[in-house]
Amino acid sequence: MNPQGIPAGAPCWIDLLTSDMNKSREFYTALFGWSYDVGDEEKYGGYTMAFKDGKSVAGLMQSREDTDGYPDMWTTYLRVDDIETTIGAAKTAGAMVFMEPMAVPEQGKMAMLGDPSGASIGLWEFGGHTGFQLHEEIGAAAWHELHSKDYPAAVTFYRDVFGLTTSVMSDSPEFRYTNLMAGEQELAGIMDAANFLPDEVPSSWQIYFQTDDVDASIATALTLGATIINPAEDSPYGRIAGLSDCTGAMFKLVQPPA
């Protein structure tokens, strides 16, 4: 465990790859009330930390020539105790490594891989940076969910590589969903998306940001250049919606049940 109580295998950080840092910053400030701290250009390439009420919630990174061709997107990072060992296990389990483990000075180690269902996921080994300080609060990430085109392979992969347990929430042909667990704690969800994702859309991790009013947040987001992907609807877990932000990065909103 760590100061924020994030167990190994759990989502511990998120960041945004953006083609327009200024527009993205303005968008999320207006939507969630974020403030920012820009990292040293030489040491951290201008990596920008986002804060809500003085607590870290996310990172933002300007896309560069070496990331050209990547769409603007949010990435979820899972906490690992030993990044080299985890990468080895992931390769054995059929993952593709997009970025081998890399030390981030004084902060920790990161890596990027593609899971067997084709979804991109980050890994983070704690150093000075020990993940988000705010989670499941208004203006911060609240839930992380894999929409997978190969559901059985994805469930097996995350369970075995990250040493988690799984809890099947639903197993009907219309809706298959498994939660990744550490003990009694729900860490993230895996949804069978084979029936609703178009051929050209890959498996992907989705981030839900918490709001106290989904409809008001959508209205604000639309004035800032967002596009609605999934209109707001009520679910057993609250009111949810899917949007793309001002530069095209997809994210979700969730308003927990009253």
Side-chain angles (χ1 to χ4, degrees), residues 27-258:
F27 180 90
Y28 289 101
T29 294
L31 193 59
F32 298 137
W34 289 359
S35 60
Y36 305 95
D37 182 17
V38 181
D40 181 89
E41 183 66 38
E42 207 165 288
K43 198 188 265 186
Y44 301 119
Y47 190 89
T48 298
M49 297 280 278
F51 297 85
K52 171 74 175 178
D53 302 329
K55 295 180 176 175
S56 64
V57 288
L60 290 82
M61 183 167 41
Q62 174 71 43
S63 53
R64 299 169 186 276
E65 283 167 18
D66 60 348
T67 53
D68 204 30
Y70 285 88
D72 287 16
M73 63 181 288
W74 279 101
T75 295
T76 293
Y77 293 80
L78 303 182
R79 184 193 160 199
V80 295
D81 288 325
D82 184 327
I83 205 162
E84 279 85 5
T85 300
T86 305
I87 282 284
K91 284 178 182 172
T92 302
M96 283 181 62
V97 177
F98 298 145
M99 189 180 91
E100 293 284 352
M102 177 184 90
V104 180
E106 296 152 29
Q107 301 303 316
K109 293 179 184 174
M110 68 178 288
M112 295 291 300
L113 54 84
D115 72 23
S117 73
S120 173
I121 186 77
L123 308 182
W124 183 255
E125 180 186 318
F126 286 174
H129 177 51
T130 55
F132 14 62
Q133 295 167 342
L134 204 65
H135 197 251
E136 294 179 60
E137 302 277 353
I138 291 168
W143 185 243
H144 309 262
E145 184 175 87
L146 172 60
H147 293 179
S148 179
K149 288 177 141 175
D150 190 343
Y151 174 76
V155 171
T156 300
F157 176 80
Y158 287 97
R159 181 192 66 205
D160 295 352
V161 171
F162 296 94
L164 301 171
T165 53
T166 53
S167 171
V168 177
M169 195 175 81
S170 176
D171 195 27
S172 68
E174 302 77 37
F175 185 54
R176 289 197 172 89
Y177 199 103
T178 291
N179 282 319
L180 298 170
M181 313 278 293
E184 296 298 302
Q185 189 179 348
E186 294 179 346
L187 307 180
I190 301 176
M191 184 194 295
D192 185 352
N195 291 332
F196 69 81
L197 281 183
D199 288 348
E200 67 276 10
V201 177
S203 303
S204 67
W205 278 87
Q206 303 286 320
I207 299 165
Y208 290 77
F209 290 98
Q210 188 163 321
T211 173
D212 57 356
D213 187 331
V214 158
D215 298 278
S217 294
I218 290 171
T220 299
L222 290 175
T223 69
L224 301 162
T227 305
I228 296 173
I229 296 173
N230 308 109
E233 59 177 342
D234 292 313
S235 80
Y237 306 96
R239 192 158 173 78
I240 57 175
L243 297 93
S244 61
D245 71 13
C246 56
T247 71
M250 292 196 300
F251 67 100
K252 304 272 193 184
L253 293 170
V254 58
Q255 175 185 338

